[in-house]
Amino acid sequence: MTGTIAGGPSLTQRIAEARDSIAAQTGDPVELGLILGSGLGGLAEAVEEAVIIPYAKIAGMPVSTAPSHAGELVLGRLFGRRVALMRGRLHLYEGWTAREVALPVYLLRALGAEGLVVTNAAGALNAEFRPGEVMLIEDHLNFTGTNPLTGADEPALGPRFPDMSRAYDPDWRAAVAEAARTAGLAHRAGIYAGIAGPSLETSAERRWLRASGADAVGMSTVIEVIAAVHAGMRVLGLSAITNAATGGPEQRPDTIEDVLANAEIAGRVIARLLEVTLPRF
Ligand code: HPA
């Protein structure tokens, strides 16, 4: 049957099974889901009253293989909100389909989350951005070549043709900007281009992405955000700028070590930003 994963059950069924398999451990409904990107897992340590569920214990949950992605769901309280936090995400480059990449988002929704905070590591196409800085995502360009809503329509999950004109909630973006100003936290704002990876972009591709209007590029987020908007969730996106990706003559080769080191620096800013912003959500 089209649209199901490998001819198996529908996504709707799979999510219900995943939710039911952990229902006994989840306690109160969660308010907010969070997905932590490469090198940004540290935020999970700030979760109070944490209940940790490895993905392998969640029925039907694809298990992430990416380096520095732990692969666990953390339930608890973060900066005053009841959260479900995915420490470790699924990427297209691991071979998962877009539907599988989106499954955890629908699971967060099924656990009660009405909003989603996504973080990621990204290369700076904008020459003004520096590694270690944070970019508030204003909008995205989906250059992955795929979409999680492709295939059989599952009305229980959301509408067939969801509006994406304000995918990153304008009120939440304003709240972050305002909270950051009050707390004296510097950040950038811009457009995130999502690619499938896992090879990094050529220099020509980076110049083309910049010309297309993007400020940063990465290998995640866009599939999850499409699913979140489809599911009726408000979305906040934050990118840790981990490397310069301008594709000009000054372009230096990228290393995963630099990416992870700068993700950690920016990750501390992201944690502070969320600390001052989440109480306003
Ligand atoms: N390109 C794609 N993904 C990335 C990059 C990049 O330069 N940096 C971190 N993730």
Side-chain angles (χ1 to χ4, degrees):
M1 193 164 92
T2 53
T4 58
I5 296 164
S10 69
L11 196 53
T12 310
Q13 284 168 296
R14 231 177 127 168
I15 290 150
E17 275 168 34
R19 187 201 51 215
D20 292 348
S21 73
I22 56 174
Q25 299 164 70
T26 56
D28 300 333
V30 306
E31 297 173 89
L32 209 55
L34 290 95
I35 300 180
L36 304 185
S38 306
L40 300 167
L43 200 58
E45 258 108 72
V47 176
E48 297 163 55
E49 302 157 34
V51 174
I52 299 173
I53 307 173
Y55 293 168
K57 296 266 165 66
I58 303 175
M61 178 77 184
V63 179
S64 166
T65 63
S68 70
H69 283 255
E72 54 198 23
L73 178 69
V74 181
L75 297 148
R77 275 195 171 275
L78 180 67
F79 309 139
R81 303 251 86 101
R82 276 210 57 86
V83 299
L85 185 150
M86 317 275 326
R87 191 176 190 194
R89 59 148 54 92
L90 306 162
H91 301 86
L92 293 171
Y93 64 71
E94 295 170 86
W96 304 112
T97 64
R99 282 193 158 216
E100 286 167 319
V101 170
L103 189 145
V105 175
Y106 294 108
L107 175 60
L108 293 171
R109 181 76 195 91
L111 294 173
E114 292 180 352
L116 179 70
V117 177
V118 274
T119 67
N120 59 52
L125 302 163
N126 185 325
E128 290 183 12
F129 293 5
R130 297 279 165 263
E133 291 185 332
V134 173
M135 184 185 88
L136 173 63
I137 304 177
E138 295 179 315
D139 209 341
H140 79 216
L141 294 163
N142 176 12
F143 285 127
T144 65
T146 184
N147 188 301
L149 312 187
T150 305
D153 189 18
E154 296 195 43
L157 300 179
R160 174 84 286 199
F161 301 109
D163 174 64
M164 292 289 294
S165 63
R166 287 172 186 78
Y168 297 79
D169 191 82
D171 294 339
W172 278 10
R173 282 189 276 133
V176 171
E178 177 57 28
R181 226 182 341 264
T182 310
L185 293 167
H187 69 89
R188 307 286 190 168
I191 312 294
Y192 176 92
I195 59 152
S199 55
L200 290 145
E201 315 72 44
T202 64
S203 288
E205 286 166 345
R206 285 174 166 175
R207 295 193 302 274
W208 174 77
L209 288 168
R210 179 65 182 143
S212 73
D215 296 283
V217 56
M219 301 177 192
S220 66
T221 300
V222 295
I223 300 297
E224 294 151 355
V225 170
I226 291 168
V229 172
H230 179 233
M233 300 167 91
R234 300 174 90 177
V235 175
L236 173 70
L238 294 165
S239 291
I241 300 299
T242 55
N243 53 297
T246 49
E250 72 288 356
Q251 180 67 56
R252 302 210 338 239
D254 300 303
T255 68
I256 185 72
E257 290 78 19
D258 281 353
V259 165
L260 293 179
N262 287 317
E264 196 167 324
I265 294 167
R268 286 196 281 272
V269 180
I270 289 177
R272 282 283 294 136
L273 276 173
L274 292 178
E275 186 174 1
V276 294
T277 308
L278 291 202
R280 296 173 183 235
F281 281 5

